[in-house]
Amino acid sequence: MKKVGVLISGRGSNLQALIDAQPRLGAYQIALVISNIAGAGGLARAEAAGIKALVIEHRPYGKDRESFERAVNAALRSAGIDIVALAGFMRVLTPWFVAAWRDRIINIHPSLLPAFPGRDTHARALAAGVKLHGCTVHIVRDAVDDGPIIGQAAIPVTPQDTPETLAERLLPVEHALYPLCLAAFAGGDAPPAAFQPALNYWFAANPR
């Protein structure tokens, strides 16, 4: 079983999905949660689950992003972490950190990459007139929201959708997909076997 360190910056809803699924999936154990924001809601979620939670604020490091990441790296190494999972971590990682954990960092992004990397994905998807929107779990590389794709799931876009409703409908899809992809990644399984049921389920559950 792989030990996972989760990096967060906010409320931690995807973290909660990973926590809730780990007894069922059995391929990973969340051993550490680190937030760069004191008071982030995800810290309380970790503590409620009995998971060690740390705050390593980025602000004291100023523009020295690598020094901040070295502090995060030290905490991850001390905890014996095998895989780093980004769950709403609102920092762009430096090439130094990506190289230090190459092929061991994964992220979930709210679009069907390579479409709409970066921010404001729901508004951009609607502006582009796409018929499908979704989320992607991928291995992290230097470029923002780039890297080998582990899994994707999609929902149809409706004429009534706004960025807010699209985000609301997509969030449970993220919560279904991320644990499956993390488990497949941790267990070395071929990803399609893990994420296809989630994709099929969410198409069936969101037929509009």
Side-chain angles (χ1 to χ4, degrees):
M1 183 179 295
K2 299 294 186 181
K3 295 178 71 173
V4 175
V6 183
L7 306 188
I8 65 168
S9 296
R11 61 182 179 175
S13 69
N14 270 306
L15 166 65
Q16 189 67 58
L18 296 177
I19 291 171
D20 292 344
Q22 64 181 358
R24 170 173 54 87
L25 297 175
Y28 64 87
Q29 175 189 13
I30 300 174
L32 179 64
V33 173
I34 299 176
S35 173
N36 65 309
I37 304 291
L43 294 167
R45 295 177 187 268
E47 290 167 357
I51 299 168
K52 183 178 180 180
L54 298 176
V55 175
I56 303 178
E57 294 192 84
H58 66 275
R59 291 193 183 101
Y61 295 90
K63 295 182 179 180
D64 191 351
R65 294 161 57 207
E66 186 175 314
S67 289
F68 161 71
E69 291 176 352
R70 286 185 181 275
V72 172
N73 177 68
L76 293 168
R77 301 289 184 187
S78 179
I81 296 303
D82 300 304
I83 297 169
V84 177
L86 309 182
F89 185 63
M90 303 306 290
R91 301 284 295 173
V92 176
L93 297 172
T94 68
W96 176 84
F97 191 89
V98 174
W101 291 88
R102 184 172 177 82
D103 293 332
R104 292 192 290 161
I105 316 172
I106 68 172
N107 179 50
I108 186 164
H109 180 73
S111 80
L112 295 172
L113 293 174
F116 313 120
R119 297 175 180 267
D120 302 320
T121 59
H122 311 305
R124 290 159 60 202
L126 290 174
V130 301
K131 301 303 183 185
L132 291 175
H133 186 51
C135 52
T136 303
V137 178
H138 66 98
I139 300 170
V140 172
R141 292 291 185 258
D142 289 349
V144 174
D145 299 323
D146 185 35
I149 291 173
I150 300 171
Q152 295 181 306
I155 57 174
V157 177
T158 74
Q160 295 77 33
D161 268 320
T162 65
E164 292 74 23
T165 62
L166 198 53
E168 182 181 3
R169 291 201 296 116
L170 185 61
L171 193 59
V173 183
E174 296 179 36
H175 295 167
L177 183 69
Y178 205 4
L180 292 172
C181 289
L182 175 56
F185 186 69
D189 295 334
F195 71 76
Q196 191 67 40
L199 188 153
N200 291 342
Y201 171 78
W202 285 106
F203 264 126
N206 296 272
R208 294 178 298 166

